Amino acid sequence: MLKRPASENKERFAPLLASLATGALAAILLFSPTGAGGQQIPDQVSADALRVCAEPANMPYSNTAGEGFENAIAGIIADELKVPVRYYFMPAGPGFVRNTLGRRLCDVVIGYAAGADPVLHTNPYYQSVYVLVVKAGGPLDGVTQLSDPKLRDARLGIVAGTPPADHLLELGLLPNARTYSLLVDRRFESPAEEMLANLAEGRLDGALLWGPTAGPFAARTATPLKVVPLVQEADRPAMAYRITMGVRQADHAWKQTLNTILVKRADDIQRVLLAAHVPLLDDDDKVIPPPAASKPAEAKPVESKPQGGSAGR
């Protein structure tokens, strides 16, 4: 929930930039690992389930029905640990880490931008990038850079406070842009879906969004849309980010367990991401082509605890 140093991940990455306050930690029962052949689970975390901190209505990433691609990735990790997945759901916002990981109600956040406070990061398990979404076959089809003259008078949608806004400002394209809210309650609002709907209706010429948000939503629209990874932009602010999993600062053994799984199940995780239409970059910042045909992966059944209070990641 890439993310999220200065990104939509301010859209969705604002959670990742939330400050971690010091607080009393609730005691948890420790269990021995279950299932022969499963990875060893350190004593600091629950051994009877993979306890995931997640947002209850944050598609395409996660929801209470287990339909997001992060739900599917959690299922892969749990399969390797030989335990079920158990969720603690809380809406996004300041205090998410403090009130979930910090209180030991869960043990891992599946999607976190590398380097973003206040978690201990696993190794990155994918890299993605901001994208330009346009109508397939439309006047902007073929544009691959924000400096393209075709964008001079284009009506572009952006999420407030995200890296593309800085690039538009530098290029003099901001006056014609339409801004969408960054911090919203995703149970009731979805700026990315609203932006793509406006693009399909002709109220926008292009949409600038974080790739893992844009790709899955664009694939579901009735109007054919083209998702263009912006891999040729200036370095600052960065448009590409590596995504990790976040754990508590002291849980170094748990981090290493997850790192081992991320290496072992890397191909499975990549298949989930590509099937979800998430734009991926390799280690050389080149776009990884999607398979010719792919079916969305099925997530494991969701076992969730009652939703927490108003605080969120």
Side-chain angles (χ1 to χ4, degrees):
M1 313 199 140
L2 231 247
K3 259 138 153 229
R4 310 173 185 173
S7 96
E8 251 137 273
N9 294 3
K10 284 179 175 182
E11 175 187 17
R12 140 181 226 244
F13 291 7
L16 303 178
L17 299 175
S19 61
L20 178 62
T22 303
L25 301 180
I28 59 172
L29 296 176
L30 300 179
F31 300 89
S32 60
T34 60
Q39 295 284 335
Q40 180 70 28
I41 302 177
D43 289 343
Q44 297 94 329
V45 303
S46 174
D48 67 335
L50 175 66
R51 303 190 309 167
V52 177
C53 321
E55 298 175 34
N58 192 35
M59 290 297 286
Y61 303 92
S62 65
N63 67 7
T64 55
E67 298 168 325
F69 65 78
E70 286 185 354
N71 294 123
I73 292 171
I76 292 171
I77 303 301
D79 178 70
E80 190 63 28
L81 292 168
K82 308 304 179 189
V83 296
V85 182
R86 184 180 302 151
Y87 286 93
Y88 186 81
F89 288 109
M90 182 170 286
F96 181 89
V97 172
R98 178 180 69 247
N99 291 309
T100 55
L101 281 177
R103 293 184 177 176
R104 295 190 178 273
L105 298 171
C106 43
D107 299 313
V108 62
V109 180
I110 296 298
Y112 225 105
D117 294 332
V119 300
L120 178 66
H121 294 271
T122 66
N123 293 338
Y125 62 97
Y126 77 94
Q127 181 182 200
S128 192
V129 65
Y130 277 87
V131 300
L132 171 66
V133 185
V134 299
K135 286 185 178 180
L140 297 186
D141 193 344
V143 171
T144 59
Q145 289 184 266
L146 296 179
S147 58
D148 193 303
K150 292 181 180 179
L151 297 181
R152 178 56 53 187
D153 298 314
R155 299 164 298 169
L156 301 176
I158 58 169
V159 174
T162 59
D166 294 272
H167 287 268
L168 294 189
L169 178 63
E170 181 70 21
L171 293 166
L173 301 177
L174 203 55
N176 290 333
R178 176 177 174 180
T179 302
Y180 294 75
S181 298
L182 169 63
L183 299 177
V184 300
D185 189 332
R186 286 296 311 278
R187 293 172 296 177
F188 309 106
E189 299 180 67
S190 180
E193 289 180 281
E194 179 186 357
M195 192 187 302
L196 293 179
N198 292 161
L199 173 61
E201 296 161 356
R203 298 170 64 185
L204 293 175
D205 301 310
L208 292 164
L209 290 164
W210 172 233
T213 302
F217 283 149
R220 301 173 190 171
T221 60
T223 301
L225 299 178
K226 187 172 183 180
V227 177
V228 183
L230 294 171
V231 294
Q232 303 179 59
E233 303 306 313
D235 292 337
R236 295 182 182 275
M239 297 283 266
Y241 296 88
R242 297 180 186 275
I243 301 303
T244 71
M245 294 183 183
V247 301
R248 284 178 289 273
Q249 292 284 355
D251 287 350
H252 293 278
W254 177 223
K255 166 189 170 179
Q256 293 306 320
T257 295
L258 291 173
N259 280 341
T260 299
I261 296 172
L262 291 175
V263 171
K264 183 176 180 180
R265 302 299 293 269
D267 290 344
D268 295 325
I269 292 172
Q270 180 169 293
R271 277 192 289 270
V272 165
L273 293 167
L274 291 175
H277 303 279
V278 174
L280 298 180
L281 303 183
D282 63 19
D283 291 338
D284 296 319
D285 295 334
K286 305 295 184 184
V287 177
I288 297 173
S294 58
K295 292 174 59 179
E298 293 185 3
K300 279 198 168 189
V302 172
E303 178 186 350
S304 62
K305 290 197 172 186
Q307 184 174 308
S310 60
R313 184 172 29 160

mmCIF file of all heavy atoms in Angstrom, residues 147-189:
data_model
loop_
_atom_site.group_PDB
_atom_site.id
_atom_site.type_symbol
_atom_site.label_atom_id
_atom_site.label_comp_id
_atom_site.label_asym_id
_atom_site.label_seq_id
_atom_site.Cartn_x
_atom_site.Cartn_y
_atom_site.Cartn_z
ATOM 1 N N SER A 147 7.570 15.247 -22.533
ATOM 2 C CA SER A 147 8.084 16.379 -23.304
ATOM 3 C C SER A 147 7.587 16.375 -24.747
ATOM 4 O O SER A 147 7.900 17.297 -25.515
ATOM 5 C CB SER A 147 9.620 16.360 -23.303
ATOM 6 O OG SER A 147 10.108 15.143 -23.848
ATOM 7 N N ASP A 148 6.794 15.382 -25.129
ATOM 8 C CA ASP A 148 6.271 15.308 -26.492
ATOM 9 C C ASP A 148 5.425 16.545 -26.792
ATOM 10 O O ASP A 148 4.545 16.917 -26.000
ATOM 11 C CB ASP A 148 5.416 14.049 -26.647
ATOM 12 C CG ASP A 148 5.089 13.732 -28.099
ATOM 13 O OD1 ASP A 148 4.505 14.598 -28.780
ATOM 14 O OD2 ASP A 148 5.389 12.605 -28.541
ATOM 15 N N PRO A 149 5.649 17.215 -27.926
ATOM 16 C CA PRO A 149 4.873 18.413 -28.282
ATOM 17 C C PRO A 149 3.362 18.170 -28.335
ATOM 18 O O PRO A 149 2.583 19.111 -28.170
ATOM 19 C CB PRO A 149 5.413 18.786 -29.664
ATOM 20 C CG PRO A 149 6.789 18.204 -29.708
ATOM 21 C CD PRO A 149 6.724 16.942 -28.911
ATOM 22 N N LYS A 150 2.935 16.932 -28.549
ATOM 23 C CA LYS A 150 1.509 16.641 -28.603
ATOM 24 C C LYS A 150 0.807 16.911 -27.272
ATOM 25 O O LYS A 150 -0.414 17.053 -27.225
ATOM 26 C CB LYS A 150 1.279 15.177 -29.007
ATOM 27 C CG LYS A 150 1.668 14.845 -30.441
ATOM 28 C CD LYS A 150 1.372 13.390 -30.747
ATOM 29 C CE LYS A 150 1.749 13.027 -32.176
ATOM 30 N NZ LYS A 150 1.483 11.589 -32.472
ATOM 31 N N LEU A 151 1.594 16.979 -26.194
ATOM 32 C CA LEU A 151 0.993 17.209 -24.877
ATOM 33 C C LEU A 151 0.902 18.688 -24.529
ATOM 34 O O LEU A 151 0.378 19.034 -23.471
ATOM 35 C CB LEU A 151 1.805 16.484 -23.792
ATOM 36 C CG LEU A 151 1.861 14.954 -23.878
ATOM 37 C CD1 LEU A 151 2.678 14.399 -22.718
ATOM 38 C CD2 LEU A 151 0.461 14.357 -23.881
ATOM 39 N N ARG A 152 1.374 19.554 -25.421
ATOM 40 C CA ARG A 152 1.441 20.976 -25.095
ATOM 41 C C ARG A 152 0.084 21.533 -24.677
ATOM 42 O O ARG A 152 -0.009 22.303 -23.713
ATOM 43 C CB ARG A 152 2.001 21.741 -26.312
ATOM 44 C CG ARG A 152 2.086 23.251 -26.148
ATOM 45 C CD ARG A 152 2.881 23.662 -24.939
ATOM 46 N NE ARG A 152 4.215 23.063 -24.889
ATOM 47 C CZ ARG A 152 5.037 23.166 -23.856
ATOM 48 N NH1 ARG A 152 4.640 23.805 -22.765
ATOM 49 N NH2 ARG A 152 6.213 22.603 -23.885
ATOM 50 N N ASP A 153 -0.965 21.179 -25.365
ATOM 51 C CA ASP A 153 -2.296 21.679 -25.027
ATOM 52 C C ASP A 153 -3.221 20.583 -24.503
ATOM 53 O O ASP A 153 -4.446 20.763 -24.451
ATOM 54 C CB ASP A 153 -2.935 22.332 -26.263
ATOM 55 C CG ASP A 153 -2.143 23.538 -26.758
ATOM 56 O OD1 ASP A 153 -1.754 24.373 -25.912
ATOM 57 O OD2 ASP A 153 -1.913 23.630 -27.976
ATOM 58 N N ALA A 154 -2.645 19.463 -24.101
ATOM 59 C CA ALA A 154 -3.465 18.326 -23.663
ATOM 60 C C ALA A 154 -4.037 18.561 -22.271
ATOM 61 O O ALA A 154 -3.416 19.212 -21.420
ATOM 62 C CB ALA A 154 -2.633 17.047 -23.671
ATOM 63 N N ARG A 155 -5.203 18.000 -22.059
ATOM 64 C CA ARG A 155 -5.840 18.038 -20.737
ATOM 65 C C ARG A 155 -5.457 16.752 -20.012
ATOM 66 O O ARG A 155 -5.949 15.677 -20.347
ATOM 67 C CB ARG A 155 -7.355 18.139 -20.877
ATOM 68 C CG ARG A 155 -7.848 19.389 -21.600
ATOM 69 C CD ARG A 155 -9.300 19.209 -22.026
ATOM 70 N NE ARG A 155 -9.422 18.084 -22.968
ATOM 71 C CZ ARG A 155 -10.596 17.560 -23.344
ATOM 72 N NH1 ARG A 155 -11.729 18.057 -22.858
ATOM 73 N NH2 ARG A 155 -10.632 16.546 -24.188
ATOM 74 N N LEU A 156 -4.570 16.885 -19.052
ATOM 75 C CA LEU A 156 -4.041 15.719 -18.358
ATOM 76 C C LEU A 156 -4.564 15.662 -16.925
ATOM 77 O O LEU A 156 -4.638 16.684 -16.241
ATOM 78 C CB LEU A 156 -2.512 15.757 -18.342
ATOM 79 C CG LEU A 156 -1.824 15.782 -19.708
ATOM 80 C CD1 LEU A 156 -0.315 15.913 -19.541
ATOM 81 C CD2 LEU A 156 -2.159 14.517 -20.507
ATOM 82 N N GLY A 157 -4.893 14.480 -16.466
ATOM 83 C CA GLY A 157 -5.297 14.276 -15.087
ATOM 84 C C GLY A 157 -4.104 13.845 -14.255
ATOM 85 O O GLY A 157 -3.293 13.025 -14.691
ATOM 86 N N ILE A 158 -3.977 14.417 -13.042
ATOM 87 C CA ILE A 158 -2.900 14.038 -12.126
ATOM 88 C C ILE A 158 -3.467 13.940 -10.720
ATOM 89 O O ILE A 158 -4.478 14.567 -10.402
ATOM 90 C CB ILE A 158 -1.734 15.056 -12.136
ATOM 91 C CG1 ILE A 158 -2.242 16.460 -11.749
ATOM 92 C CG2 ILE A 158 -1.028 15.097 -13.475
ATOM 93 C CD1 ILE A 158 -1.128 17.452 -11.476
ATOM 94 N N VAL A 159 -2.813 13.168 -9.892
ATOM 95 C CA VAL A 159 -3.157 13.109 -8.473
ATOM 96 C C VAL A 159 -2.281 14.116 -7.741
ATOM 97 O O VAL A 159 -1.060 14.148 -7.922
ATOM 98 C CB VAL A 159 -2.940 11.695 -7.909
ATOM 99 C CG1 VAL A 159 -3.169 11.684 -6.398
ATOM 100 C CG2 VAL A 159 -3.881 10.709 -8.594
ATOM 101 N N ALA A 160 -2.892 14.954 -6.947
ATOM 102 C CA ALA A 160 -2.174 16.036 -6.261
ATOM 103 C C ALA A 160 -0.998 15.491 -5.454
ATOM 104 O O ALA A 160 -1.098 14.473 -4.777
ATOM 105 C CB ALA A 160 -3.133 16.778 -5.334
ATOM 106 N N GLY A 161 0.134 16.198 -5.557
ATOM 107 C CA GLY A 161 1.278 15.862 -4.736
ATOM 108 C C GLY A 161 2.082 14.665 -5.180
ATOM 109 O O GLY A 161 2.963 14.212 -4.449
ATOM 110 N N THR A 162 1.827 14.125 -6.364
ATOM 111 C CA THR A 162 2.576 12.971 -6.844
ATOM 112 C C THR A 162 3.659 13.416 -7.828
ATOM 113 O O THR A 162 3.602 14.527 -8.373
ATOM 114 C CB THR A 162 1.638 11.955 -7.516
ATOM 115 O OG1 THR A 162 0.964 12.581 -8.616
ATOM 116 C CG2 THR A 162 0.588 11.455 -6.518
ATOM 117 N N PRO A 163 4.682 12.594 -8.057
ATOM 118 C CA PRO A 163 5.806 12.994 -8.905
ATOM 119 C C PRO A 163 5.441 13.554 -10.271
ATOM 120 O O PRO A 163 6.083 14.506 -10.730
ATOM 121 C CB PRO A 163 6.623 11.709 -9.020
ATOM 122 C CG PRO A 163 6.365 11.019 -7.731
ATOM 123 C CD PRO A 163 4.924 11.281 -7.424
ATOM 124 N N PRO A 164 4.431 13.009 -11.000
ATOM 125 C CA PRO A 164 4.128 13.594 -12.310
ATOM 126 C C PRO A 164 3.780 15.079 -12.254
ATOM 127 O O PRO A 164 4.044 15.804 -13.217
ATOM 128 C CB PRO A 164 2.919 12.771 -12.785
ATOM 129 C CG PRO A 164 3.096 11.452 -12.129
ATOM 130 C CD PRO A 164 3.634 11.775 -10.763
ATOM 131 N N ALA A 165 3.216 15.552 -11.136
ATOM 132 C CA ALA A 165 2.877 16.968 -11.027
ATOM 133 C C ALA A 165 4.128 17.836 -11.123
ATOM 134 O O ALA A 165 4.116 18.900 -11.760
ATOM 135 C CB ALA A 165 2.138 17.229 -9.714
ATOM 136 N N ASP A 166 5.217 17.396 -10.504
ATOM 137 C CA ASP A 166 6.468 18.146 -10.577
ATOM 138 C C ASP A 166 7.008 18.183 -12.001
ATOM 139 O O ASP A 166 7.528 19.207 -12.456
ATOM 140 C CB ASP A 166 7.502 17.525 -9.648
ATOM 141 C CG ASP A 166 7.119 17.638 -8.186
ATOM 142 O OD1 ASP A 166 7.446 18.649 -7.566
ATOM 143 O OD2 ASP A 166 6.488 16.697 -7.673
ATOM 144 N N HIS A 167 6.878 17.071 -12.705
ATOM 145 C CA HIS A 167 7.352 17.026 -14.087
ATOM 146 C C HIS A 167 6.500 17.932 -14.984
ATOM 147 O O HIS A 167 7.033 18.622 -15.861
ATOM 148 C CB HIS A 167 7.330 15.585 -14.601
ATOM 149 C CG HIS A 167 8.406 14.724 -14.011
ATOM 150 N ND1 HIS A 167 9.646 14.564 -14.600
ATOM 151 C CD2 HIS A 167 8.435 13.994 -12.877
ATOM 152 C CE1 HIS A 167 10.390 13.764 -13.862
ATOM 153 N NE2 HIS A 167 9.682 13.398 -12.805
ATOM 154 N N LEU A 168 5.190 17.941 -14.767
ATOM 155 C CA LEU A 168 4.332 18.823 -15.557
ATOM 156 C C LEU A 168 4.661 20.284 -15.288
ATOM 157 O O LEU A 168 4.653 21.122 -16.202
ATOM 158 C CB LEU A 168 2.860 18.551 -15.247
ATOM 159 C CG LEU A 168 2.291 17.191 -15.657
ATOM 160 C CD1 LEU A 168 0.774 17.192 -15.468
ATOM 161 C CD2 LEU A 168 2.641 16.843 -17.100
ATOM 162 N N LEU A 169 4.939 20.608 -14.033
ATOM 163 C CA LEU A 169 5.310 21.985 -13.688
ATOM 164 C C LEU A 169 6.591 22.397 -14.410
ATOM 165 O O LEU A 169 6.671 23.492 -14.986
ATOM 166 C CB LEU A 169 5.495 22.096 -12.177
ATOM 167 C CG LEU A 169 5.937 23.469 -11.649
ATOM 168 C CD1 LEU A 169 4.874 24.525 -11.955
ATOM 169 C CD2 LEU A 169 6.203 23.397 -10.153
ATOM 170 N N GLU A 170 7.579 21.509 -14.411
ATOM 171 C CA GLU A 170 8.856 21.794 -15.069
ATOM 172 C C GLU A 170 8.678 21.989 -16.571
ATOM 173 O O GLU A 170 9.358 22.815 -17.193
ATOM 174 C CB GLU A 170 9.829 20.637 -14.797
ATOM 175 C CG GLU A 170 11.209 20.810 -15.402
ATOM 176 C CD GLU A 170 12.021 21.898 -14.717
ATOM 177 O OE1 GLU A 170 11.695 22.244 -13.565
ATOM 178 O OE2 GLU A 170 12.971 22.408 -15.353
ATOM 179 N N LEU A 171 7.729 21.266 -17.163
ATOM 180 C CA LEU A 171 7.507 21.326 -18.606
ATOM 181 C C LEU A 171 6.472 22.377 -19.010
ATOM 182 O O LEU A 171 6.182 22.535 -20.198
ATOM 183 C CB LEU A 171 7.058 19.955 -19.122
ATOM 184 C CG LEU A 171 8.107 18.843 -19.037
ATOM 185 C CD1 LEU A 171 7.460 17.479 -19.256
ATOM 186 C CD2 LEU A 171 9.221 19.069 -20.060
ATOM 187 N N GLY A 172 5.911 23.082 -18.039
ATOM 188 C CA GLY A 172 4.910 24.101 -18.331
ATOM 189 C C GLY A 172 3.557 23.535 -18.708
ATOM 190 O O GLY A 172 2.751 24.224 -19.348
ATOM 191 N N LEU A 173 3.279 22.301 -18.299
ATOM 192 C CA LEU A 173 2.034 21.642 -18.666
ATOM 193 C C LEU A 173 0.993 21.652 -17.544
ATOM 194 O O LEU A 173 -0.129 21.184 -17.737
ATOM 195 C CB LEU A 173 2.298 20.191 -19.073
ATOM 196 C CG LEU A 173 3.263 19.975 -20.243
ATOM 197 C CD1 LEU A 173 3.475 18.480 -20.475
ATOM 198 C CD2 LEU A 173 2.731 20.631 -21.505
ATOM 199 N N LEU A 174 1.358 22.197 -16.397
ATOM 200 C CA LEU A 174 0.464 22.136 -15.249
ATOM 201 C C LEU A 174 -0.802 22.985 -15.392
ATOM 202 O O LEU A 174 -1.862 22.589 -14.886
ATOM 203 C CB LEU A 174 1.222 22.522 -13.983
ATOM 204 C CG LEU A 174 0.658 22.030 -12.655
ATOM 205 C CD1 LEU A 174 0.482 20.522 -12.652
ATOM 206 C CD2 LEU A 174 1.573 22.459 -11.505
ATOM 207 N N PRO A 175 -0.748 24.153 -16.062
ATOM 208 C CA PRO A 175 -1.971 24.977 -16.136
ATOM 209 C C PRO A 175 -3.178 24.274 -16.748
ATOM 210 O O PRO A 175 -4.313 24.575 -16.379
ATOM 211 C CB PRO A 175 -1.528 26.166 -16.997
ATOM 212 C CG PRO A 175 -0.063 26.291 -16.731
ATOM 213 C CD PRO A 175 0.416 24.874 -16.621
ATOM 214 N N ASN A 176 -2.955 23.346 -17.687
ATOM 215 C CA ASN A 176 -4.068 22.655 -18.324
ATOM 216 C C ASN A 176 -4.464 21.365 -17.614
ATOM 217 O O ASN A 176 -5.412 20.690 -18.024
ATOM 218 C CB ASN A 176 -3.724 22.310 -19.779
ATOM 219 C CG ASN A 176 -3.664 23.549 -20.652
ATOM 220 O OD1 ASN A 176 -4.312 24.548 -20.375
ATOM 221 N ND2 ASN A 176 -2.878 23.481 -21.716
ATOM 222 N N ALA A 177 -3.743 21.029 -16.543
ATOM 223 C CA ALA A 177 -3.987 19.756 -15.875
ATOM 224 C C ALA A 177 -5.173 19.848 -14.925
ATOM 225 O O ALA A 177 -5.472 20.909 -14.368
ATOM 226 C CB ALA A 177 -2.747 19.318 -15.102
ATOM 227 N N ARG A 178 -5.849 18.721 -14.749
ATOM 228 C CA ARG A 178 -6.922 18.612 -13.761
ATOM 229 C C ARG A 178 -6.405 17.772 -12.601
ATOM 230 O O ARG A 178 -5.880 16.677 -12.807
ATOM 231 C CB ARG A 178 -8.165 17.969 -14.370
ATOM 232 C CG ARG A 178 -9.279 17.758 -13.348
ATOM 233 C CD ARG A 178 -10.531 17.177 -13.979
ATOM 234 N NE ARG A 178 -11.524 16.864 -12.968
ATOM 235 C CZ ARG A 178 -12.719 16.336 -13.225
ATOM 236 N NH1 ARG A 178 -13.066 16.075 -14.482
ATOM 237 N NH2 ARG A 178 -13.562 16.070 -12.245
ATOM 238 N N THR A 179 -6.567 18.307 -11.393
ATOM 239 C CA THR A 179 -6.021 17.641 -10.211
ATOM 240 C C THR A 179 -7.086 16.831 -9.489
ATOM 241 O O THR A 179 -8.222 17.299 -9.324
ATOM 242 C CB THR A 179 -5.420 18.684 -9.250
ATOM 243 O OG1 THR A 179 -4.399 19.425 -9.933
ATOM 244 C CG2 THR A 179 -4.802 18.010 -8.039
ATOM 245 N N TYR A 180 -6.706 15.634 -9.049
ATOM 246 C CA TYR A 180 -7.586 14.753 -8.292
ATOM 247 C C TYR A 180 -7.013 14.569 -6.888
ATOM 248 O O TYR A 180 -5.797 14.632 -6.694
ATOM 249 C CB TYR A 180 -7.715 13.404 -8.999
ATOM 250 C CG TYR A 180 -8.418 13.490 -10.326
ATOM 251 C CD1 TYR A 180 -7.770 14.023 -11.450
ATOM 252 C CD2 TYR A 180 -9.730 13.063 -10.483
ATOM 253 C CE1 TYR A 180 -8.417 14.120 -12.675
ATOM 254 C CE2 TYR A 180 -10.389 13.145 -11.712
ATOM 255 C CZ TYR A 180 -9.717 13.688 -12.794
ATOM 256 O OH TYR A 180 -10.358 13.785 -14.009
ATOM 257 N N SER A 181 -7.876 14.321 -5.937
ATOM 258 C CA SER A 181 -7.472 14.273 -4.529
ATOM 259 C C SER A 181 -6.481 13.154 -4.255
ATOM 260 O O SER A 181 -6.557 12.067 -4.830
ATOM 261 C CB SER A 181 -8.693 14.093 -3.633
ATOM 262 O OG SER A 181 -9.574 15.184 -3.752
ATOM 263 N N LEU A 182 -5.577 13.431 -3.344
ATOM 264 C CA LEU A 182 -4.574 12.453 -2.938
ATOM 265 C C LEU A 182 -5.067 11.609 -1.766
ATOM 266 O O LEU A 182 -5.046 10.387 -1.820
ATOM 267 C CB LEU A 182 -3.283 13.183 -2.550
ATOM 268 C CG LEU A 182 -2.206 12.349 -1.863
ATOM 269 C CD1 LEU A 182 -1.703 11.265 -2.787
ATOM 270 C CD2 LEU A 182 -1.058 13.240 -1.409
ATOM 271 N N LEU A 183 -5.503 12.259 -0.710
ATOM 272 C CA LEU A 183 -5.901 11.557 0.501
ATOM 273 C C LEU A 183 -7.413 11.436 0.558
ATOM 274 O O LEU A 183 -8.113 12.421 0.807
ATOM 275 C CB LEU A 183 -5.378 12.299 1.733
ATOM 276 C CG LEU A 183 -3.852 12.431 1.814
ATOM 277 C CD1 LEU A 183 -3.466 13.246 3.039
ATOM 278 C CD2 LEU A 183 -3.189 11.061 1.850
ATOM 279 N N VAL A 184 -7.914 10.252 0.308
ATOM 280 C CA VAL A 184 -9.356 9.990 0.343
ATOM 281 C C VAL A 184 -9.595 8.683 1.085
ATOM 282 O O VAL A 184 -8.682 7.878 1.277
ATOM 283 C CB VAL A 184 -9.963 9.894 -1.073
ATOM 284 C CG1 VAL A 184 -9.748 11.185 -1.841
ATOM 285 C CG2 VAL A 184 -9.372 8.704 -1.837
ATOM 286 N N ASP A 185 -10.819 8.480 1.513
ATOM 287 C CA ASP A 185 -11.219 7.202 2.091
ATOM 288 C C ASP A 185 -11.654 6.312 0.943
ATOM 289 O O ASP A 185 -12.699 6.513 0.330
ATOM 290 C CB ASP A 185 -12.375 7.404 3.077
ATOM 291 C CG ASP A 185 -12.692 6.144 3.868
ATOM 292 O OD1 ASP A 185 -12.445 5.033 3.353
ATOM 293 O OD2 ASP A 185 -13.203 6.263 4.997
ATOM 294 N N ARG A 186 -10.837 5.305 0.635
ATOM 295 C CA ARG A 186 -11.079 4.480 -0.542
ATOM 296 C C ARG A 186 -12.333 3.631 -0.429
ATOM 297 O O ARG A 186 -12.757 3.019 -1.397
ATOM 298 C CB ARG A 186 -9.859 3.595 -0.813
ATOM 299 C CG ARG A 186 -8.658 4.337 -1.410
ATOM 300 C CD ARG A 186 -8.977 4.898 -2.793
ATOM 301 N NE ARG A 186 -9.572 3.909 -3.651
ATOM 302 C CZ ARG A 186 -8.890 2.985 -4.336
ATOM 303 N NH1 ARG A 186 -7.579 2.931 -4.251
ATOM 304 N NH2 ARG A 186 -9.523 2.123 -5.104
ATOM 305 N N ARG A 187 -12.931 3.589 0.742
ATOM 306 C CA ARG A 187 -14.213 2.888 0.858
ATOM 307 C C ARG A 187 -15.318 3.653 0.142
ATOM 308 O O ARG A 187 -16.349 3.074 -0.204
ATOM 309 C CB ARG A 187 -14.581 2.701 2.336
ATOM 310 C CG ARG A 187 -13.660 1.758 3.092
ATOM 311 C CD ARG A 187 -13.952 1.769 4.572
ATOM 312 N NE ARG A 187 -13.686 3.083 5.156
ATOM 313 C CZ ARG A 187 -13.908 3.393 6.436
ATOM 314 N NH1 ARG A 187 -14.408 2.465 7.250
ATOM 315 N NH2 ARG A 187 -13.630 4.590 6.888
ATOM 316 N N PHE A 188 -15.079 4.958 -0.084
ATOM 317 C CA PHE A 188 -16.123 5.802 -0.657
ATOM 318 C C PHE A 188 -15.692 6.545 -1.921
ATOM 319 O O PHE A 188 -16.539 6.978 -2.698
ATOM 320 C CB PHE A 188 -16.597 6.824 0.390
ATOM 321 C CG PHE A 188 -16.957 6.199 1.706
ATOM 322 C CD1 PHE A 188 -16.141 6.334 2.810
ATOM 323 C CD2 PHE A 188 -18.108 5.431 1.828
ATOM 324 C CE1 PHE A 188 -16.478 5.747 4.036
ATOM 325 C CE2 PHE A 188 -18.447 4.849 3.039
ATOM 326 C CZ PHE A 188 -17.629 5.004 4.141
ATOM 327 N N GLU A 189 -14.394 6.708 -2.136
ATOM 328 C CA GLU A 189 -13.902 7.442 -3.298
ATOM 329 C C GLU A 189 -12.740 6.696 -3.945
ATOM 330 O O GLU A 189 -11.969 6.025 -3.265
ATOM 331 C CB GLU A 189 -13.422 8.846 -2.902
ATOM 332 C CG GLU A 189 -14.476 9.751 -2.306
ATOM 333 C CD GLU A 189 -13.900 11.111 -1.951
ATOM 334 O OE1 GLU A 189 -13.526 11.850 -2.878
ATOM 335 O OE2 GLU A 189 -13.813 11.419 -0.745
#
